[in-house]
Amino acid sequence: MKILVVGSGGREHAIAWRLAQDEEGHELYCAPGNAGTAEVATNVDIKADDIPGIAAWATVNHPDLVVVGPEAPLVKGLVDALAGIRVPTFGPVAAGARMEGSKRFAKEIMDAAGVPTGKAEVFTDAAAAKAALPAFGLPVVIKADGLAAGKGVIVAETTDQAEAAIDDMLVGNKFGAAGAEVLIEEFLHGEECSILALVDGNDAVLLPSSQDHKRIFDGDKGPNTGGMGAYSPAPVVTADKLPMIKEKIIMPVVRELKKRGITYRGVLYAGLMVNDENANPHGPLAKSGSTVNVVEFNARFGDPETEAVLPRLGGSFATALLHAAQGCLKPEDVVVKDEAAATVIVASGGYPGDYEKGKEISGLADAKPDTIVFHCGTKRVPSDDGIEILTSGGRVLSVTGLGSNLREAVDRAYARIAGISFGGMFYRKDIAHRAFERG
């Protein structure tokens, strides 16, 4: 198949890499891509959110499938535009992408569908929002309603922190239009995990579980980031929970959207909080009383979860995505290999705040067995010796190790990182610590 992958991060490199593993062989393109995608696909100089530009390219090049990675082009209506020229596209239409584009909309859908989640209220006035804080207790979660590049969620430990977050969003306009409405949300206790479901509009197939590490420092300390690592499977998601997650969380959302005239096709990402005797025996359950509650929904593959989950898939990945896009997905389209994966993000100094770019990366050619280096924020530049790879983002590389068990996978990922260097690089040293603590 001729396939276009839209996006430029580690997620898109992982998607393109996994498509390149299919036995059928595909003609792969990536818009705009990065230094890593250039190794498995032809990069196309079109920005991911350039809807007319991508539609024009598709009109001329007639791809058999377009796979949309990031949330912004989904919310802006890329799938709608491609549907208008009859290009099969994996990803939800703009109305469905509101599950990520508007946290208020997602809560409305969850409430209507009876999906277990924490209580929340929406505010546009800072004084009213602050007055409501005592009813939620501490800690409390403050969320910008719209897309904020993964930085619009604040877990406030004190009232002062909560009020400052409210002021930043509603008074200081920190996130622009994305923060014009703010959700105050119940803090859910337990252990987080991620479930990525392929959805064809009527049914869903769950991919292997994973767990992201959002905080910047070891021990889950410091500010939230776009993600500092992930691993799969996540032991907190025991086999008995998977049918419940599909039937009580994923499918009610798909059916509620369908009821509203929205046929959801693509990935439905459920960020979950699991509260049981192993996760947190003393934490209160959400108002739903469920041991598994939804923290958030996203409308695309998670990042860095994708880099840990996709290497565990066998079979034809392109067929699974195409069948989802066409509304004929079958459980046998998803093949899961019996192995573990661990992904460690290598970041630029200063991230998630201001960071330097343009640092030369060394050691990328020194491959090790059962490891993959996905590029998140890199660029290729000519040099006297050929081509240099430079840093161009806060999250630079996503290094994945594979193994027969999680310990082996983690050790391989860190062994691969040991051979990579660039100025100011840093990474967490405790990826998968919750799994190991569980024994």
Side-chain angles (χ1 to χ4, degrees):
M1 281 192 274
K2 180 186 284 188
I3 304 173
L4 173 68
V5 177
V6 176
S8 62
R11 166 184 49 221
E12 289 75 36
H13 187 187
I15 292 169
W17 172 87
R18 182 56 192 81
L19 289 166
Q21 308 307 304
D22 286 354
E23 291 184 2
E24 309 97 295
H26 304 296
E27 185 180 343
L28 299 174
Y29 298 85
C30 196
N34 59 34
T37 61
E39 298 173 0
V40 294
T42 300
N43 286 348
V44 179
D45 189 18
I46 306 173
K47 292 182 178 179
D49 61 354
D50 181 357
I51 309 303
I54 292 172
W57 185 92
T59 299
V60 172
N61 290 277
H62 307 290
D64 300 298
L65 176 66
V66 174
V67 183
V68 186
E71 61 274 17
L74 293 170
V75 171
K76 289 180 67 173
L78 177 56
V79 177
D80 308 67
L82 294 175
I85 55 174
R86 299 187 178 182
V87 175
T89 306
F90 180 82
V93 295
R98 290 184 69 202
M99 288 299 297
E100 179 167 3
S102 170
K103 295 177 179 64
R104 176 177 187 166
F105 176 76
K107 281 291 184 181
E108 291 174 359
I109 294 296
M110 283 188 269
D111 288 344
V115 171
T117 187
K119 73 172 184 177
E121 290 186 49
V122 181
F123 298 91
T124 57
D125 177 75
K130 293 175 184 178
L133 286 173
F136 287 84
L138 292 170
V140 64
V141 183
I142 313 298
K143 293 182 177 180
D145 175 63
L147 298 180
K151 300 180 178 68
V153 178
I154 306 298
V155 178
E157 302 286 347
T158 68
T159 299
D160 285 347
Q161 289 175 353
E163 291 184 346
I166 290 168
D167 282 337
D168 281 345
M169 296 179 195
L170 292 179
V171 179
N173 201 33
K174 183 175 182 178
F175 300 113
E181 290 187 334
V182 164
L183 278 75
I184 299 180
E185 191 168 298
E186 172 188 10
F187 179 82
L188 298 174
H189 294 264
E191 185 171 338
E192 287 191 65
C193 66
S194 304
I195 291 291
L196 308 175
L198 303 188
V199 181
D200 71 355
N202 296 301
D203 203 357
V205 179
L206 272 54
L207 300 186
S209 64
S210 59
Q211 186 175 90
D212 183 16
H213 295 62
K214 290 185 172 61
R215 298 295 185 100
I216 189 68
F217 299 126
D218 286 6
D220 300 314
K221 305 295 184 183
N224 277 337
T225 69
M228 291 302 294
Y231 63 96
S232 176
V236 70
V237 185
T238 50
D240 62 297
K241 290 185 174 68
L242 291 172
M244 183 278 288
I245 291 170
K246 178 178 178 180
E247 295 307 322
K248 301 294 185 183
I249 292 172
I250 301 297
M251 289 311 301
V253 167
V254 175
R255 288 191 286 265
E256 180 62 28
L257 290 171
K258 195 72 173 286
K259 189 188 301 183
R260 299 177 183 221
I262 303 169
T263 300
Y264 192 101
R265 291 176 178 165
V267 170
L268 186 60
Y269 166 125
L272 306 175
M273 188 69 76
V274 180
N275 190 310
D276 59 21
E277 64 275 10
N278 292 315
N280 187 335
H282 306 298
L285 301 180
K287 300 302 180 184
S288 66
S290 174
T291 58
V292 180
N293 290 274
V294 176
V295 176
E296 64 177 354
F297 277 112
N298 291 326
R300 38 72 191 179
F301 284 110
D303 190 352
E305 294 97 330
T306 300
E307 293 95 304
V309 170
L310 295 196
R312 297 189 57 212
L313 299 185
S316 172
F317 187 48
T319 297
L321 300 184
L322 181 63
H323 283 177
Q326 294 175 330
C328 57
L329 182 68
K330 302 182 292 293
E332 55 266 30
D333 288 333
V334 175
V335 179
V336 180
K337 294 185 284 189
D338 186 18
E339 60 185 357
T343 297
V344 182
I345 294 292
V346 182
S348 295
Y351 176 79
D354 294 333
Y355 54 86
E356 292 185 333
K357 301 179 182 179
K359 303 293 186 180
E360 183 180 357
I361 307 170
S362 63
L364 293 176
D366 302 329
K368 290 183 179 295
D370 297 306
T371 63
I372 314 150
V373 177
F374 297 115
H375 292 232
C376 307
T378 63
K379 64 178 180 179
R380 294 159 59 93
V381 296
S383 72
D384 293 339
D385 299 323
I387 295 291
E388 288 181 347
I389 308 297
L390 305 183
T391 68
S392 65
R395 293 190 297 173
V396 177
L397 301 171
S398 185
V399 181
T400 297
L402 298 167
S404 58
N405 56 62
L406 190 56
R407 181 76 269 170
E408 194 171 64
V410 168
D411 289 346
R412 285 174 174 166
Y414 281 116
R416 182 71 180 89
I417 290 174
I420 296 171
S421 66
F422 60 86
M425 70 176 272
F426 76 98
Y427 52 93
R428 280 184 58 163
K429 313 298 193 300
D430 65 344
I431 299 303
H433 70 90
R434 288 184 181 272
F436 297 134
E437 288 162 7
R438 294 172 69 89

